[in-house]
Amino acid sequence: MSADADERTEASDAALVDEARRWWHTDIIDVAPGAISLRGYPIEELIGRVGFVDTIWLMLRGELPSRAEADLLEAAMVASVDHGPQAPSIAIARMATTCGSPVNGAMASAINVLDDIHGGPGQQCMELYLEIDAELGAGEDVESVTRAVLERRRAAGMTYVPGFGHRFHPLDPRTPRLLSIVDRAADDGTIDGRFARIGRAVEDAISAGRTRRIPMNVDGVTAVIYCELGFTPELGRGVFILARSVGILAHAVEQMEQGGRIKGPVPKSIGYTYTGPARRSVPQERGK
Amino acid sequence: MSADADERTEASDAALVDEARRWWHTDIIDVAPGAISLRGYPIEELIGRVGFVDTIWLMLRGELPSRAEADLLEAAMVASVDHGPQAPSIAIARMATTCGSPVNGAMASAINVLDDIHGGPGQQCMELYLEIDAELGAGEDVESVTRAVLERRRAAGMTYVPGFGHRFHPLDPRTPRLLSIVDRAADDGTIDGRFARIGRAVEDAISAGRTRRIPMNVDGVTAVIYCELGFTPELGRGVFILARSVGILAHAVEQMEQGGRIKGPVPKSIGYTYTGPARRSVPQERGK
Amino acid sequence: MSADADERTEASDAALVDEARRWWHTDIIDVAPGAISLRGYPIEELIGRVGFVDTIWLMLRGELPSRAEADLLEAAMVASVDHGPQAPSIAIARMATTCGSPVNGAMASAINVLDDIHGGPGQQCMELYLEIDAELGAGEDVESVTRAVLERRRAAGMTYVPGFGHRFHPLDPRTPRLLSIVDRAADDGTIDGRFARIGRAVEDAISAGRTRRIPMNVDGVTAVIYCELGFTPELGRGVFILARSVGILAHAVEQMEQGGRIKGPVPKSIGYTYTGPARRSVPQERGK
Amino acid sequence: MSADADERTEASDAALVDEARRWWHTDIIDVAPGAISLRGYPIEELIGRVGFVDTIWLMLRGELPSRAEADLLEAAMVASVDHGPQAPSIAIARMATTCGSPVNGAMASAINVLDDIHGGPGQQCMELYLEIDAELGAGEDVESVTRAVLERRRAAGMTYVPGFGHRFHPLDPRTPRLLSIVDRAADDGTIDGRFARIGRAVEDAISAGRTRRIPMNVDGVTAVIYCELGFTPELGRGVFILARSVGILAHAVEQMEQGGRIKGPVPKSIGYTYTGPARRSVPQERGK
């Protein structure tokens, strides 16, 4: 890209420098020689006085949370750190270390797959709750609005409701515990409580007429918490990733200690099944 | 991979199943229908009673920390969340979102580059401290052992000491604050304090005879903390990545809000410089 | 996950082994001790007799292409290898190496951002062409169907047409060259030519009434080629990534040779602009 | 980062613009409105006249290869495209798609793990060959130099020789075929042939005195080819990644077609084994 040097004037240089300086701009962090501030707070005032979860909130939201808000976020994050080596993200982190990846590489390959299916249900559930909430006018009841939204979504092709049911747990052990914490926070006024009502209304609506209820899972209940606390769905997925990164790191390091080189998904003795065409020869006439 | 079905016996099937079941094994998490425990603790007991930093410690180390230990780890993590869009990891997260990456993808591309140079100095500094510590016998003084180790490393080709000096900050504002917290923790017996002595001895040794000291930077002081708390160097890097992931996420989401499509590193008006061969023609005789 | 050992019978072990063996199954590759075949062809027959582009086709499509088909795919891939360090993918690969990433890491962080915006327009353009093609009944002319589809998409919110126009090139130099190769392939019967007609009809439709045409860009013309050759849109993106990986690798290695440590997007002297709140103090009463 | 606006002079603006323009510089590609050239060659001259493998060479090496050189590189790349779903890279690509990753994400997570153990042996083998070659003075025989280098490396802790032996193939079917192509290329003067001699000398040296030889594997023989063709070890790994990306993409897309959601490494019925502490309660006195 050849600079057209002759046409450049001093005036345009100043404009270019200004444009270049503004190319990257942020409300998050100010760094000057000897000084760092996050959202305006000097880093040395935050260190030791403000917790890690408070700092997560400050970085993502712009202001410090109240103690009670931070406690609620913290409970949701503790609940989400791990779900074991059957989760592809965890398995990938473990396999990566046996390929020689350092922790940053193992974490990157693993976090990367927390995409729409593996990391998205919480975010999608938040979008559902927010859609129901947006339709809740004065005087309307949560149950009927919830049923209407679900019917509309089903008509549009929704085949399952994100945040409800679990292929492994009949009842997710994280759900009742988190819900009781949510209820307590609603009682003491930390949160409003309407997303808890919406979440329960969704569970009722999709369980109606069934022998076995389809209970809220960890995605559904953390979605309640993130909505109550005012997080956007995108940030909801982000916070989940921060939490799950802990499990990813723990498993990566445990696998490093266990050793293993180029460890496949199953033992070599199990292997895989080839289902393709039978052995055949490249046509004789074929040249490149 | 064709299974050799005829030779399989029932006995070998049982052995294969056992081998397959043990292929992935972990001390970290037990998951059964309706039950999840981390390091033996039921998840529902941890949620709401144990903090996120305590959970990080539990997952990485196997046991819960004391309150004072968790506080020290938390201070180090708060100090490490961000260093602004000039850091390649942060710039990459921002660029990724303008390419259409969701938060998981933006975070993965960014975390991935926290490799030996961008994410490694803390880990390398821990290795240096541990090497010095390992040579400290009874009666030997920290200063002379430190000088000897540094001389040996310089003779072996070390050109700079990881964890000291900063290309941007004459004095890293995070260092004195964290050091004072470390000193307080040593005074109250939470930690032993010998890695703080080692870190200061390194600073003295490399600053001796210079007009301007080469002060400990954030990597050097968090390395003190991680060593005091018994983390391995590998885990030290891992904890740094967990902390920096917060800044990476915050910048990714801010860039999503700012918009921009396929945003290059510099404005188009600045561009880049081509330094290669002049325009030339593909030789006429050349065919594939 | 505690195995329920007592209930296991030999019969169920055999069933488990079968299930485990079929868990991963593929039509692509058969590997046995001393033997590897791709899509049924022994690897030793492919090596040296079949080209790399033919092998790409074989792996992705299941059969070997004709010489003329491979030539057309090859032309599209050569056209797509690079677009310089202003492309975020290339900039990321270069930055990654200055953070200590090896080539695999630099390539991963870079390829990862070839997402819907940076890597997706070709795929989206293929979907548009295929939608138009699907509506082309007997006797209907391409122009009116194209206009109808574009109108329907605009009504549904489409604001720009993927594969047309370029923020940098008034006319993309790759387009006329590739189009002439496509036309020649249609003349000699290698391809049918109807996607070239569809592509040109789109260009006409969106340029109608404008002083300056909105010409087909490299995404639009390679989308013509991939559609003519029967690739799915997903594979179209995949092939683009294979091609662009070449540029990503070349730039990563060039940056390694140039050196640089933790190289930010712009020089430190340019920096970035902080637009957030003014410096403020953490409230005194705040404790963790 | 507050710009110190008052001190800026027009002269310094010009200098800043120049610095910013040179911040990214490359010999690889020149892009101007309407014009793109690779290593000086206009892109429209390359498209359709130069093959994809030739373009890979041009991008990585700076000049076009001879037909015979490109053929040799092509044979090595065809040999390396895939080794089945037991390879972690392939398994990761397949798992990623079941988590919702698009092809770019699946490829990124997979390519990322082609690190020192999974993607590095070829590179390490090239380093070994080059070390032997560097010590080969006039009149010295390959065999004794090879034995001396191997002994020195073993004394320094090398426990296995990269590029030789295979945990799956008694004889890698790719090796004899590639070696015969190398020999033919040496006979016709395309290459010198000395790295083939070195590779065979290594195989002889490590097999001496054993009942079963430790034969050169695909990494060892492609390392011969890359060394003969003048590639650096780093580029050797890069070229391997370009080749293996084909298999990674093919498996990712096949898995998308097979479906599956959040597919773990083994069937749920197999699961994994928990080996950690027995269930225990969080101490009552513990608060955050």
Side-chain angles (χ1 to χ4, degrees):
Chain A
M1 215 171 269
S2 51
D4 214 338
D6 298 334
E7 290 180 45
R8 279 166 49 198
T9 66
E10 287 156 3
S12 70
D13 281 339
L16 281 175
V17 169
D18 283 342
E19 186 189 0
R21 288 214 154 113
R22 286 192 311 267
W23 185 245
W24 298 107
H25 57 96
T26 180
D27 287 356
I28 300 171
I29 184 169
D30 193 18
V31 179
I36 299 170
S37 63
L38 303 180
R39 303 288 191 180
Y41 294 118
I43 190 80
E44 63 273 19
E45 289 194 26
L46 294 167
I47 296 170
R49 279 181 60 202
V50 163
F52 185 53
V53 172
D54 306 69
T55 305
I56 292 171
W57 185 299
L58 174 68
M59 292 289 286
L60 299 181
R61 307 287 298 277
E63 297 297 334
L64 286 164
S66 71
R67 179 72 258 135
E69 288 170 327
D71 281 348
L72 200 49
L73 175 60
E74 189 153 33
M77 292 186 77
V78 167
S80 306
V81 292
D82 195 6
H83 203 258
Q86 285 283 98
S89 51
I90 301 294
I92 286 171
R94 299 189 75 114
M95 279 194 266
T97 67
T98 73
C99 299
S101 295
V103 286
N104 55 300
M107 292 174 75
S109 277
I111 286 169
N112 203 29
V113 306
L114 297 174
D115 214 290
D116 282 359
I117 299 178
H118 192 15
Q123 180 176 356
Q124 293 147 19
C125 184
M126 287 177 76
E127 286 158 4
L128 171 65
Y129 292 167
L130 290 167
E131 183 180 336
I132 294 169
D133 184 56
E135 300 207 2
L136 270 175
E140 283 185 89
D141 73 298
V142 175
E143 286 69 24
S144 55
V145 170
T146 296
R147 280 194 302 269
V149 168
L150 288 171
E151 268 161 45
R152 196 174 59 216
R153 284 191 161 221
R154 279 197 201 97
M158 180 179 73
T159 54
Y160 86 109
V161 181
F164 293 82
H166 201 286
R167 53 186 194 152
F168 199 82
H169 301 295
L171 176 62
D172 192 315
R174 297 163 289 192
T175 301
R177 174 68 178 138
L178 283 172
L179 270 182
S180 78
I181 291 175
V182 166
D183 290 341
R184 208 172 52 207
D187 287 347
D188 69 19
T190 301
I191 55 171
D192 165 298
R194 73 187 191 281
F195 288 99
R197 284 191 295 278
I198 291 173
R200 283 174 166 126
V202 172
E203 183 178 310
D204 287 345
I206 62 178
S207 301
R210 291 177 174 264
T211 345
R212 273 229 308 238
R213 290 180 68 82
I214 303 176
M216 201 183 288
N217 62 30
V218 71
D219 292 319
V221 67
T222 52
V224 165
I225 293 174
Y226 300 143
C227 283
E228 292 282 359
L229 294 175
F231 283 79
T232 63
E234 197 77 44
L235 280 179
R237 192 196 296 200
V239 168
F240 164 70
I241 294 172
L242 291 180
R244 183 54 55 95
S245 298
V246 176
I248 286 169
L249 170 61
H251 284 275
V253 173
E254 187 187 56
Q255 186 65 54
M256 282 183 188
E257 285 158 6
Q258 288 178 9
R261 288 173 67 86
I262 316 185
K263 194 169 175 176
V266 293
K268 204 170 67 166
S269 55
I270 295 286
Y272 69 93
T273 301
Y274 174 66
T275 49
R279 198 178 168 90
R280 51 183 173 166
S281 268
V282 176
Q284 280 308 315
E285 74 280 10
R286 204 160 197 306
K288 276 191 295 184
Chain B
M1 217 173 269
S2 52
D4 214 339
D6 296 336
E7 290 180 45
R8 280 166 47 197
T9 67
E10 286 155 2
S12 71
D13 282 338
L16 280 175
V17 169
D18 283 341
E19 186 189 0
R21 289 215 153 112
R22 284 191 313 265
W23 185 245
W24 298 107
H25 57 96
T26 179
D27 287 357
I28 299 171
I29 183 168
D30 194 17
V31 179
I36 299 170
S37 62
L38 304 180
R39 302 289 191 180
Y41 295 117
I43 190 81
E44 62 275 17
E45 289 194 27
L46 293 167
I47 296 170
R49 277 181 60 203
V50 164
F52 185 54
V53 172
D54 305 69
T55 306
I56 292 171
W57 185 299
L58 174 68
M59 293 288 286
L60 300 180
R61 306 286 299 275
E63 297 297 333
L64 286 163
S66 72
R67 180 73 256 134
E69 287 171 327
D71 281 347
L72 199 50
L73 175 59
E74 189 153 31
M77 293 187 77
V78 167
S80 307
V81 292
D82 195 7
H83 202 259
Q86 286 283 97
S89 51
I90 301 295
I92 287 171
R94 299 189 75 115
M95 279 194 266
T97 67
T98 73
C99 299
S101 294
V103 286
N104 55 300
M107 291 174 76
S109 278
I111 286 169
N112 203 28
V113 305
L114 297 173
D115 214 290
D116 282 358
I117 299 178
H118 192 16
Q123 180 175 356
Q124 293 146 19
C125 183
M126 288 177 74
E127 286 158 3
L128 171 65
Y129 292 166
L130 291 165
E131 184 180 335
I132 293 169
D133 185 55
E135 300 207 3
L136 272 174
E140 283 186 87
D141 72 297
V142 176
E143 286 69 25
S144 55
V145 170
T146 296
R147 279 194 303 269
V149 169
L150 289 171
E151 267 161 46
R152 195 174 59 218
R153 284 190 162 220
R154 279 197 201 99
M158 180 178 75
T159 54
Y160 86 108
V161 181
F164 293 83
H166 202 286
R167 54 186 192 150
F168 199 81
H169 300 297
L171 176 62
D172 191 316
R174 298 162 288 192
T175 301
R177 175 66 178 141
L178 284 172
L179 269 183
S180 77
I181 291 174
V182 167
D183 290 342
R184 208 171 53 208
D187 286 348
D188 70 18
T190 301
I191 55 172
D192 165 298
R194 75 186 189 281
F195 288 99
R197 282 190 296 278
I198 290 173
R200 283 173 166 128
V202 172
E203 183 179 309
D204 287 345
I206 62 178
S207 300
R210 290 177 175 265
T211 344
R212 275 227 308 237
R213 289 179 70 81
I214 303 177
M216 202 183 285
N217 62 30
V218 71
D219 293 318
V221 65
T222 53
V224 165
I225 293 175
Y226 300 143
C227 283
E228 292 282 359
L229 294 174
F231 283 79
T232 62
E234 197 76 44
L235 280 178
R237 193 196 295 201
V239 168
F240 164 70
I241 295 173
L242 292 179
R244 183 54 56 93
S245 297
V246 177
I248 286 169
L249 171 60
H251 284 276
V253 173
E254 187 186 58
Q255 185 66 53
M256 281 183 187
E257 286 157 7
Q258 288 178 9
R261 288 173 66 86
I262 316 185
K263 192 169 175 175
V266 292
K268 204 171 67 168
S269 55
I270 295 286
Y272 69 93
T273 301
Y274 174 64
T275 48
R279 198 179 168 90
R280 51 183 174 167
S281 269
V282 176
Q284 279 309 315
E285 75 280 10
R286 202 159 199 307
K288 275 191 294 185
Chain C
M1 216 171 268
S2 51
D4 214 338
D6 297 336
E7 290 180 45
R8 279 166 48 197
T9 66
E10 285 155 2
S12 71
D13 281 337
L16 280 176
V17 169
D18 283 342
E19 186 190 0
R21 290 215 151 112
R22 285 193 312 267
W23 186 244
W24 298 107
H25 57 97
T26 180
D27 287 357
I28 299 171
I29 183 168
D30 194 17
V31 179
I36 299 169
S37 63
L38 304 180
R39 302 290 191 179
Y41 295 118
I43 189 81
E44 63 275 17
E45 289 195 25
L46 293 167
I47 296 170
R49 278 181 59 202
V50 164
F52 185 54
V53 172
D54 306 68
T55 306
I56 292 171
W57 186 299
L58 175 68
M59 293 288 286
L60 300 180
R61 306 287 298 277
E63 297 297 333
L64 285 163
S66 71
R67 180 73 257 135
E69 287 170 328
D71 282 348
L72 199 50
L73 175 59
E74 189 152 31
M77 293 186 76
V78 167
S80 306
V81 291
D82 194 8
H83 202 260
Q86 285 284 97
S89 51
I90 301 294
I92 287 171
R94 300 189 74 115
M95 278 193 267
T97 66
T98 73
C99 299
S101 294
V103 286
N104 55 300
M107 291 176 75
S109 278
I111 286 169
N112 203 29
V113 305
L114 297 173
D115 214 289
D116 282 359
I117 299 178
H118 192 16
Q123 180 176 355
Q124 294 147 19
C125 184
M126 288 177 74
E127 286 158 3
L128 171 65
Y129 292 167
L130 290 166
E131 184 179 336
I132 293 169
D133 185 54
E135 299 207 4
L136 271 175
E140 283 186 87
D141 71 299
V142 177
E143 285 70 24
S144 55
V145 170
T146 297
R147 279 193 304 270
V149 169
L150 288 172
E151 267 161 45
R152 195 173 61 217
R153 284 191 162 221
R154 277 196 202 98
M158 180 180 73
T159 54
Y160 86 108
V161 181
F164 293 83
H166 201 286
R167 55 186 192 150
F168 199 82
H169 299 296
L171 176 61
D172 192 315
R174 296 162 289 192
T175 302
R177 175 68 178 140
L178 284 172
L179 271 183
S180 78
I181 291 174
V182 167
D183 290 343
R184 209 171 53 206
D187 287 348
D188 71 18
T190 301
I191 55 171
D192 164 299
R194 75 187 189 281
F195 288 98
R197 282 191 295 280
I198 290 172
R200 283 175 167 128
V202 173
E203 183 179 308
D204 287 346
I206 62 177
S207 300
R210 289 176 176 265
T211 345
R212 275 229 307 237
R213 290 180 69 81
I214 304 177
M216 202 183 286
N217 61 30
V218 71
D219 293 319
V221 66
T222 52
V224 165
I225 293 174
Y226 300 143
C227 284
E228 292 282 359
L229 295 174
F231 282 79
T232 63
E234 197 77 44
L235 280 179
R237 193 196 296 200
V239 168
F240 165 69
I241 295 172
L242 292 180
R244 183 54 57 93
S245 298
V246 176
I248 286 168
L249 171 60
H251 283 276
V253 173
E254 187 186 57
Q255 185 66 53
M256 282 182 188
E257 286 158 7
Q258 288 178 9
R261 289 173 67 86
I262 316 186
K263 193 170 176 175
V266 292
K268 203 171 69 168
S269 55
I270 295 287
Y272 69 92
T273 300
Y274 174 64
T275 49
R279 198 177 168 90
R280 51 183 174 166
S281 268
V282 176
Q284 279 308 314
E285 75 280 11
R286 202 158 200 306
K288 278 191 292 183
Chain D
M1 216 172 272
S2 53
D4 214 338
D6 298 335
E7 290 180 46
R8 278 166 48 197
T9 66
E10 286 155 2
S12 70
D13 281 339
L16 281 175
V17 170
D18 283 342
E19 186 190 359
R21 288 214 155 112
R22 286 192 311 266
W23 186 245
W24 299 106
H25 57 96
T26 180
D27 287 356
I28 298 171
I29 184 168
D30 194 18
V31 179
I36 299 170
S37 63
L38 303 180
R39 302 287 191 181
Y41 295 118
I43 189 81
E44 64 273 17
E45 289 193 27
L46 293 167
I47 296 170
R49 278 182 60 203
V50 164
F52 185 53
V53 172
D54 305 69
T55 305
I56 292 171
W57 186 298
L58 174 68
M59 292 289 285
L60 300 180
R61 307 286 298 277
E63 298 297 332
L64 286 164
S66 71
R67 181 71 258 135
E69 287 171 327
D71 281 348
L72 200 50
L73 175 60
E74 189 152 32
M77 293 186 77
V78 167
S80 306
V81 292
D82 195 8
H83 203 258
Q86 286 284 97
S89 50
I90 301 295
I92 287 171
R94 299 189 75 114
M95 279 194 265
T97 67
T98 73
C99 299
S101 293
V103 286
N104 55 300
M107 291 174 76
S109 277
I111 286 169
N112 203 29
V113 306
L114 297 173
D115 214 290
D116 281 359
I117 299 178
H118 193 15
Q123 179 176 356
Q124 293 147 18
C125 184
M126 288 178 75
E127 286 158 2
L128 171 63
Y129 292 167
L130 290 166
E131 184 180 336
I132 294 169
D133 185 55
E135 300 207 2
L136 270 175
E140 284 185 86
D141 72 297
V142 176
E143 286 69 26
S144 55
V145 170
T146 296
R147 279 194 304 268
V149 168
L150 288 171
E151 267 161 47
R152 195 174 59 216
R153 285 190 162 222
R154 279 198 201 97
M158 180 179 74
T159 55
Y160 86 109
V161 180
F164 293 82
H166 201 286
R167 54 188 192 150
F168 200 82
H169 301 295
L171 176 62
D172 192 315
R174 297 163 289 191
T175 302
R177 174 67 177 139
L178 282 172
L179 269 183
S180 78
I181 290 175
V182 167
D183 290 342
R184 208 172 52 207
D187 287 347
D188 69 18
T190 301
I191 54 172
D192 164 299
R194 75 186 189 280
F195 288 99
R197 282 190 296 277
I198 291 173
R200 283 175 166 126
V202 172
E203 183 178 310
D204 286 345
I206 62 178
S207 300
R210 290 176 175 265
T211 344
R212 274 227 309 237
R213 290 180 68 81
I214 304 176
M216 202 183 285
N217 62 29
V218 71
D219 292 319
V221 65
T222 53
V224 164
I225 293 175
Y226 300 143
C227 283
E228 292 282 359
L229 295 174
F231 283 79
T232 62
E234 198 77 44
L235 280 179
R237 193 196 297 200
V239 168
F240 165 70
I241 294 172
L242 291 180
R244 183 54 56 93
S245 297
V246 176
I248 287 169
L249 170 60
H251 283 275
V253 173
E254 187 187 56
Q255 186 65 53
M256 282 183 187
E257 286 158 7
Q258 288 178 10
R261 288 173 67 86
I262 316 186
K263 193 169 175 174
V266 293
K268 203 170 68 167
S269 55
I270 295 286
Y272 68 93
T273 301
Y274 174 65
T275 49
R279 199 177 168 90
R280 51 183 173 165
S281 269
V282 176
Q284 280 308 315
E285 74 281 9
R286 199 155 204 309
K288 275 191 295 183

